[in-house]
Amino acid sequence: MIAFLLLAQLAGAAAPAPAPAPFTYRFDEVKSRVYRYPRGDETNELRVQAKQTADAGDVVRTNWLGRAVVAVPERASRFEISSGTRVRLASIEPGVLLVLEQGKVKAFFDALTGGEAVERRVATPGALLAVRGTRYGVDVDGGGQTSLAVFEGTVEVISANPATKPFLVTRDQFCTFKPGTAPRIVPMGSMGMTERSWQNHSSMGSMSQGRGSEGTGTMPGSNGAAGGSMHGSTPMGPKR
C-alpha cells in the first residue's frame, strides 16, 4: 500500500500542469471586407462578420476599406484594425495577444480585475510592446519600419536587438524603430501630431492583398475616413 501511494504521488508530481485557457478573439465590429485565414492557411479564406470569433494562430486581413475591432475579453484588451492591415492572433511568444505584420492598429487595454499580473503584448517586426492600462497606435510599413504613438499610459518597448535595452515611451510621445536601427523618441507635439491626426494619417506603407476576392495588387494604407478610428476621436471604453 505504501509503495502504491508513493507511486501515485510521483505520478501526480510528474503530470504536466494544465494548459491555460485559450483566449477568445471576438470581432465586435466589422466594416467592409475583412478576411480570416484559420491557422494562417492562405488557401482557406473566410469572410468575417461581426460577433464571430477567431482562434489563436489565425491571420486577419482587412482590404483597403475594411476595418475591424477585435476584443480579447480575458485580457480586457481591444484592437482596432485599420484598412490595409494584416495581423496574426497570438504568438508562441508568451503574453503576445497580437502580431502586427503590416498596417495600422490602435490598441486599448483596460484595467484587469482581480489584480492579475499578466503580460499583454503586441509584437512588431522590431520589438515587443508591453503595457499596463494603456492606449496607443502602432503602424508597420512594408520594410518593417514601425511607428508608435502613445495616447495614454506608458509602453515598454522590448527591442529584438539584444544590444538595445528596453525603454519606455510615455503619453504624448512618438517613437520609430526597426530591426537593426536605434529607436528615436520625440514629443508628438513637436511633430504636430495628436490622436485625431494619427487616426486620419495615412499608413506608412502599402501591402500586397495576396489571395482574396479583390485579386492581387497593392493595397493602399488607411487614409481619411477609411483609415481613421471606427469611433472617430473618442476612445473605446473609459479612460484609465
Side-chain angles (χ1 to χ4, degrees):
M1 175 63 75
I2 295 176
F4 175 80
L5 291 174
L6 287 174
L7 288 173
Q9 289 175 355
L10 289 173
F23 299 137
T24 301
Y25 290 92
R26 184 184 67 221
F27 290 91
D28 282 356
E29 299 181 37
V30 174
K31 179 179 179 181
S32 189
R33 294 182 182 274
V34 177
Y35 301 98
R36 178 172 69 89
Y37 303 92
R39 309 300 298 176
D41 180 4
E42 298 286 348
T43 66
N44 185 14
E45 180 180 86
L46 304 177
R47 178 83 178 268
V48 174
Q49 303 294 332
K51 308 308 178 186
Q52 290 182 341
T53 59
D55 299 319
D58 290 359
V59 168
V60 176
R61 178 179 68 83
T62 59
N63 78 340
W64 70 283
L65 288 177
R67 287 179 286 153
V69 175
V70 177
V72 187
E74 294 87 352
R75 290 295 180 262
S77 305
R78 289 157 293 166
F79 302 98
E80 187 175 297
I81 304 171
S82 295
S83 59
T85 296
R86 179 186 171 94
V87 303
R88 185 179 297 272
L89 306 180
S91 165
I92 60 173
E93 186 80 24
V96 172
L97 301 179
L98 182 140
V99 179
L100 176 56
E101 297 181 356
Q102 191 171 339
K104 193 170 182 176
V105 166
K106 190 173 181 182
F108 303 79
F109 299 92
D110 295 322
L112 289 166
T113 59
E116 302 98 326
V118 296
E119 290 289 355
R120 296 184 288 177
R121 295 177 170 182
V122 169
T124 70
L128 292 175
L129 309 180
V131 303
R132 295 290 186 276
T134 300
R135 186 172 80 254
Y136 65 82
V138 59
D139 191 351
V140 176
D141 74 4
Q145 178 79 20
T146 301
S147 67
L148 168 68
V150 178
F151 309 124
E152 186 167 342
T154 300
V155 176
E156 181 184 18
V157 179
I158 306 168
S159 175
N161 182 356
T164 302
K165 295 181 179 180
F167 58 93
L168 300 180
V169 183
T170 59
R171 179 175 180 173
D172 298 330
Q173 285 187 332
F174 184 85
C175 175
T176 61
F177 55 87
K178 68 180 299 185
T181 64
R184 175 173 174 263
I185 302 176
V186 296
M188 287 171 60
S190 67
M191 303 180 65
M193 182 179 292
T194 64
E195 182 170 351
R196 179 187 289 273
S197 64
W198 183 91
Q199 290 167 338
N200 294 327
H201 192 271
S202 61
S203 179
M204 292 169 57
S206 59
M207 63 180 291
S208 170
Q209 290 181 357
R211 297 181 179 89
S213 303
E214 298 80 33
T216 60
T218 299
M219 181 184 304
S222 57
N223 58 63
S229 168
M230 298 179 76
H231 298 271
S233 61
T234 303
M236 294 184 299
K239 289 186 177 181
R240 292 160 299 286

mmCIF file of all heavy atoms in Angstrom, residues 49-68:
data_model
loop_
_atom_site.group_PDB
_atom_site.id
_atom_site.type_symbol
_atom_site.label_atom_id
_atom_site.label_comp_id
_atom_site.label_asym_id
_atom_site.label_seq_id
_atom_site.Cartn_x
_atom_site.Cartn_y
_atom_site.Cartn_z
ATOM 1 N N GLN A 49 -17.675 38.284 -40.260
ATOM 2 C CA GLN A 49 -18.857 39.055 -39.890
ATOM 3 C C GLN A 49 -18.758 39.453 -38.421
ATOM 4 O O GLN A 49 -18.081 38.785 -37.635
ATOM 5 C CB GLN A 49 -20.131 38.227 -40.107
ATOM 6 C CG GLN A 49 -20.318 37.714 -41.529
ATOM 7 C CD GLN A 49 -20.546 38.812 -42.532
ATOM 8 O OE1 GLN A 49 -21.072 39.876 -42.197
ATOM 9 N NE2 GLN A 49 -20.148 38.574 -43.787
ATOM 10 N N ALA A 50 -19.432 40.536 -38.050
ATOM 11 C CA ALA A 50 -19.434 40.989 -36.661
ATOM 12 C C ALA A 50 -20.004 39.896 -35.757
ATOM 13 O O ALA A 50 -20.889 39.136 -36.156
ATOM 14 C CB ALA A 50 -20.235 42.274 -36.521
ATOM 15 N N LYS A 51 -19.458 39.819 -34.547
ATOM 16 C CA LYS A 51 -19.843 38.885 -33.486
ATOM 17 C C LYS A 51 -19.279 37.487 -33.691
ATOM 18 O O LYS A 51 -19.491 36.615 -32.834
ATOM 19 C CB LYS A 51 -21.370 38.813 -33.308
ATOM 20 C CG LYS A 51 -22.026 40.162 -33.122
ATOM 21 C CD LYS A 51 -21.383 40.988 -32.025
ATOM 22 C CE LYS A 51 -22.028 42.362 -31.888
ATOM 23 N NZ LYS A 51 -21.309 43.214 -30.901
ATOM 24 N N GLN A 52 -18.569 37.241 -34.785
ATOM 25 C CA GLN A 52 -17.902 35.964 -34.934
ATOM 26 C C GLN A 52 -16.652 35.924 -34.069
ATOM 27 O O GLN A 52 -16.182 36.942 -33.577
ATOM 28 C CB GLN A 52 -17.539 35.720 -36.410
ATOM 29 C CG GLN A 52 -18.721 35.453 -37.305
ATOM 30 C CD GLN A 52 -18.314 35.180 -38.739
ATOM 31 O OE1 GLN A 52 -17.215 35.517 -39.166
ATOM 32 N NE2 GLN A 52 -19.211 34.565 -39.508
ATOM 33 N N THR A 53 -16.090 34.725 -33.891
ATOM 34 C CA THR A 53 -14.878 34.570 -33.106
ATOM 35 C C THR A 53 -13.778 33.976 -33.981
ATOM 36 O O THR A 53 -14.032 33.450 -35.069
ATOM 37 C CB THR A 53 -15.108 33.665 -31.885
ATOM 38 O OG1 THR A 53 -15.555 32.384 -32.329
ATOM 39 C CG2 THR A 53 -16.142 34.280 -30.947
ATOM 40 N N ALA A 54 -12.550 34.088 -33.485
ATOM 41 C CA ALA A 54 -11.390 33.536 -34.171
ATOM 42 C C ALA A 54 -10.524 32.822 -33.143
ATOM 43 O O ALA A 54 -10.725 32.956 -31.933
ATOM 44 C CB ALA A 54 -10.604 34.631 -34.887
ATOM 45 N N ASP A 55 -9.549 32.072 -33.634
ATOM 46 C CA ASP A 55 -8.677 31.297 -32.762
ATOM 47 C C ASP A 55 -7.251 31.826 -32.806
ATOM 48 O O ASP A 55 -6.836 32.474 -33.769
ATOM 49 C CB ASP A 55 -8.678 29.827 -33.184
ATOM 50 C CG ASP A 55 -10.048 29.187 -33.090
ATOM 51 O OD1 ASP A 55 -10.752 29.459 -32.104
ATOM 52 O OD2 ASP A 55 -10.408 28.431 -34.005
ATOM 53 N N ALA A 56 -6.500 31.534 -31.762
ATOM 54 C CA ALA A 56 -5.082 31.869 -31.747
ATOM 55 C C ALA A 56 -4.402 31.217 -32.943
ATOM 56 O O ALA A 56 -4.650 30.046 -33.255
ATOM 57 C CB ALA A 56 -4.443 31.393 -30.451
ATOM 58 N N GLY A 57 -3.565 31.968 -33.620
ATOM 59 C CA GLY A 57 -2.875 31.481 -34.802
ATOM 60 C C GLY A 57 -3.532 31.894 -36.096
ATOM 61 O O GLY A 57 -2.911 31.813 -37.165
ATOM 62 N N ASP A 58 -4.795 32.351 -36.036
ATOM 63 C CA ASP A 58 -5.462 32.815 -37.245
ATOM 64 C C ASP A 58 -4.836 34.123 -37.727
ATOM 65 O O ASP A 58 -4.368 34.940 -36.927
ATOM 66 C CB ASP A 58 -6.948 33.061 -36.982
ATOM 67 C CG ASP A 58 -7.727 31.770 -36.745
ATOM 68 O OD1 ASP A 58 -7.112 30.684 -36.810
ATOM 69 O OD2 ASP A 58 -8.935 31.863 -36.485
ATOM 70 N N VAL A 59 -4.837 34.319 -39.031
ATOM 71 C CA VAL A 59 -4.410 35.577 -39.630
ATOM 72 C C VAL A 59 -5.655 36.360 -40.033
ATOM 73 O O VAL A 59 -6.621 35.781 -40.551
ATOM 74 C CB VAL A 59 -3.504 35.332 -40.851
ATOM 75 C CG1 VAL A 59 -3.299 36.612 -41.664
ATOM 76 C CG2 VAL A 59 -2.154 34.786 -40.404
ATOM 77 N N VAL A 60 -5.640 37.661 -39.775
ATOM 78 C CA VAL A 60 -6.751 38.540 -40.144
ATOM 79 C C VAL A 60 -6.224 39.607 -41.089
ATOM 80 O O VAL A 60 -5.179 40.211 -40.823
ATOM 81 C CB VAL A 60 -7.392 39.194 -38.900
ATOM 82 C CG1 VAL A 60 -8.488 40.176 -39.304
ATOM 83 C CG2 VAL A 60 -7.962 38.120 -37.976
ATOM 84 N N ARG A 61 -6.957 39.825 -42.184
ATOM 85 C CA ARG A 61 -6.549 40.831 -43.161
ATOM 86 C C ARG A 61 -7.738 41.710 -43.507
ATOM 87 O O ARG A 61 -8.843 41.204 -43.744
ATOM 88 C CB ARG A 61 -6.011 40.158 -44.432
ATOM 89 C CG ARG A 61 -5.613 41.134 -45.528
ATOM 90 C CD ARG A 61 -5.074 40.409 -46.745
ATOM 91 N NE ARG A 61 -6.084 39.631 -47.436
ATOM 92 C CZ ARG A 61 -6.944 40.135 -48.336
ATOM 93 N NH1 ARG A 61 -6.921 41.416 -48.616
ATOM 94 N NH2 ARG A 61 -7.815 39.338 -48.935
ATOM 95 N N THR A 62 -7.518 43.019 -43.559
ATOM 96 C CA THR A 62 -8.548 43.956 -43.999
ATOM 97 C C THR A 62 -8.202 44.465 -45.388
ATOM 98 O O THR A 62 -7.029 44.662 -45.711
ATOM 99 C CB THR A 62 -8.652 45.154 -43.038
ATOM 100 O OG1 THR A 62 -7.382 45.820 -42.972
ATOM 101 C CG2 THR A 62 -9.041 44.698 -41.628
ATOM 102 N N ASN A 63 -9.237 44.703 -46.220
ATOM 103 C CA ASN A 63 -8.957 45.276 -47.520
ATOM 104 C C ASN A 63 -8.851 46.799 -47.389
ATOM 105 O O ASN A 63 -8.827 47.346 -46.278
ATOM 106 C CB ASN A 63 -10.018 44.845 -48.545
ATOM 107 C CG ASN A 63 -11.320 45.626 -48.423
ATOM 108 O OD1 ASN A 63 -11.607 46.234 -47.393
ATOM 109 N ND2 ASN A 63 -12.118 45.596 -49.470
ATOM 110 N N TRP A 64 -8.768 47.514 -48.501
ATOM 111 C CA TRP A 64 -8.448 48.943 -48.437
ATOM 112 C C TRP A 64 -9.580 49.782 -47.848
ATOM 113 O O TRP A 64 -9.367 50.935 -47.491
ATOM 114 C CB TRP A 64 -8.049 49.460 -49.811
ATOM 115 C CG TRP A 64 -9.153 49.539 -50.817
ATOM 116 C CD1 TRP A 64 -9.706 48.518 -51.510
ATOM 117 C CD2 TRP A 64 -9.813 50.732 -51.252
ATOM 118 N NE1 TRP A 64 -10.676 48.972 -52.362
ATOM 119 C CE2 TRP A 64 -10.760 50.334 -52.223
ATOM 120 C CE3 TRP A 64 -9.690 52.071 -50.941
ATOM 121 C CZ2 TRP A 64 -11.599 51.243 -52.862
ATOM 122 C CZ3 TRP A 64 -10.516 52.978 -51.582
ATOM 123 C CH2 TRP A 64 -11.458 52.570 -52.531
ATOM 124 N N LEU A 65 -10.775 49.215 -47.704
ATOM 125 C CA LEU A 65 -11.860 49.895 -46.993
ATOM 126 C C LEU A 65 -12.257 49.157 -45.716
ATOM 127 O O LEU A 65 -13.088 49.635 -44.965
ATOM 128 C CB LEU A 65 -13.090 50.032 -47.896
ATOM 129 C CG LEU A 65 -13.010 51.046 -49.029
ATOM 130 C CD1 LEU A 65 -14.275 50.995 -49.873
ATOM 131 C CD2 LEU A 65 -12.800 52.455 -48.482
ATOM 132 N N GLY A 66 -11.672 47.996 -45.495
ATOM 133 C CA GLY A 66 -12.086 47.175 -44.370
ATOM 134 C C GLY A 66 -11.489 47.629 -43.047
ATOM 135 O O GLY A 66 -10.361 48.123 -42.995
ATOM 136 N N ARG A 67 -12.240 47.446 -41.995
ATOM 137 C CA ARG A 67 -11.774 47.715 -40.639
ATOM 138 C C ARG A 67 -12.469 46.747 -39.695
ATOM 139 O O ARG A 67 -13.531 46.223 -39.994
ATOM 140 C CB ARG A 67 -12.079 49.159 -40.210
ATOM 141 C CG ARG A 67 -11.202 50.202 -40.871
ATOM 142 C CD ARG A 67 -11.583 51.604 -40.409
ATOM 143 N NE ARG A 67 -12.839 52.015 -41.021
ATOM 144 C CZ ARG A 67 -13.684 52.887 -40.473
ATOM 145 N NH1 ARG A 67 -13.433 53.383 -39.275
ATOM 146 N NH2 ARG A 67 -14.781 53.248 -41.108
ATOM 147 N N ALA A 68 -11.862 46.534 -38.538
ATOM 148 C CA ALA A 68 -12.460 45.624 -37.565
ATOM 149 C C ALA A 68 -11.994 45.985 -36.165
ATOM 150 O O ALA A 68 -10.907 46.531 -35.979
ATOM 151 C CB ALA A 68 -12.081 44.176 -37.871
#
